[in-house]
Amino acid sequence: LTWLRRRGDLVVARRVVTARKSLSDVVGAPEHIVSRRFGERREAVPIRALHAGDVVVVSAGQELPVDGTIVSGEAMVNQQTVTGEALPVEREPGDRVFAATTVEYGEIEVRAEQLGLDTAVGRIVRAIRAAAREKPEIQLFAGTLARREVRRTPALAGARGAFSSGLDSGLGHLGARLR
C-alpha cells in the first residue's frame, strides 16, 4: 500500500509541475520579446522591461502581453483565453484588451495598464495556484484515515495470529481487512 501511495504522490507532483509551467506560459515568459513604441520609433524589449503607461504594438498572430486600452489601430481579437468566447471580436481605440488574448487580424497599439500577474489572466493564475496549495477538508480526512488504518491493520493481524491457532489465521485476517 505504501508504494502505491508514493506512486500516486509522484504522479500528482508531476502534474502540478506541468500545470504550473502551463500557467506561467499563459502569463508570458519574462524573456519573451515584444514591440514597444517609444516616441515615433519602435523597439524590441523583453516583457520584464515593460511598465504601466508603455505603449505596446501588437500585430496579427501575436499575443497581447498586457491588459490595457487601445490607443490606435483596429483589430479582431480572439479573447477565448479570458472570456471563453470562441469568435474574435472587433477592437478599436478606447476599447479595453487583455493579456493572453490574440490579435487575429490588424495591428493595435495598447497602453499598458496591468502587467504580469496583475493582469486579468494573471489573477486567474494566482487563484489556481492558491487553490492547488490548499487541500480540501475531505482529502485531509481521507489521508488521516488511511494512515490510521495502515498502522492498525497489521497490528490487529499480528495480535490475532498470536492469540489464535497460528500464522495462517492472522494472515487470513490481514487479507480480509485489505479487501
Side-chain angles (χ1 to χ4, degrees):
L1 290 178
T2 303
W3 72 268
L4 186 59
R5 184 165 184 213
R6 297 258 187 246
R7 176 82 174 151
D9 289 345
L10 178 65
V11 169
V12 168
R14 280 190 191 162
R15 297 289 180 222
V16 167
V17 168
T18 302
R20 284 188 181 146
K21 182 174 177 354
S22 297
L23 290 173
S24 296
D25 291 346
V26 168
V27 176
E31 65 275 355
H32 185 75
I33 303 297
V34 297
S35 180
R36 176 173 64 184
R37 191 182 77 193
F38 190 74
E40 293 300 316
R41 69 179 207 275
R42 294 180 185 186
E43 58 186 4
V45 297
I47 287 179
R48 68 177 171 270
L50 293 177
H51 302 286
D54 285 348
V55 175
V56 180
V57 181
V58 186
S59 301
Q62 295 179 327
E63 218 174 67
L64 283 147
V66 298
D67 283 0
T69 304
I70 298 175
V71 293
S72 73
E74 293 181 358
M76 296 295 287
V77 179
N78 183 337
Q79 300 182 136
Q80 187 170 8
T81 54
V82 176
T83 65
E85 184 179 351
L87 297 174
V89 291
E90 187 174 345
R91 294 290 179 222
E92 54 192 31
D95 289 343
R96 187 141 168 77
V97 289
F98 303 99
T101 59
T102 306
V103 173
E104 297 286 331
Y105 304 102
E107 182 176 273
I108 51 177
E109 294 183 0
V110 178
R111 183 167 317 281
E113 294 168 6
Q114 283 89 29
L115 303 126
L117 290 176
D118 293 329
T119 61
V121 75
R123 289 189 300 273
I124 293 168
V125 167
R126 276 198 316 238
I128 291 170
R129 286 181 179 168
R133 283 192 299 267
E134 297 176 13
K135 288 188 177 181
E137 191 175 320
I138 189 70
Q139 187 178 0
L140 295 172
F141 174 74
T144 302
L145 184 64
R147 281 189 298 278
R148 191 179 327 145
E149 286 298 315
V150 165
R151 286 187 210 116
R152 189 171 67 170
T153 301
L156 287 173
R160 182 167 178 152
F163 293 113
S164 68
S165 60
L167 183 62
D168 291 339
S169 177
L171 289 176
H173 181 68
L174 176 62
R177 293 279 297 174
L178 292 177
R179 284 188 216 145

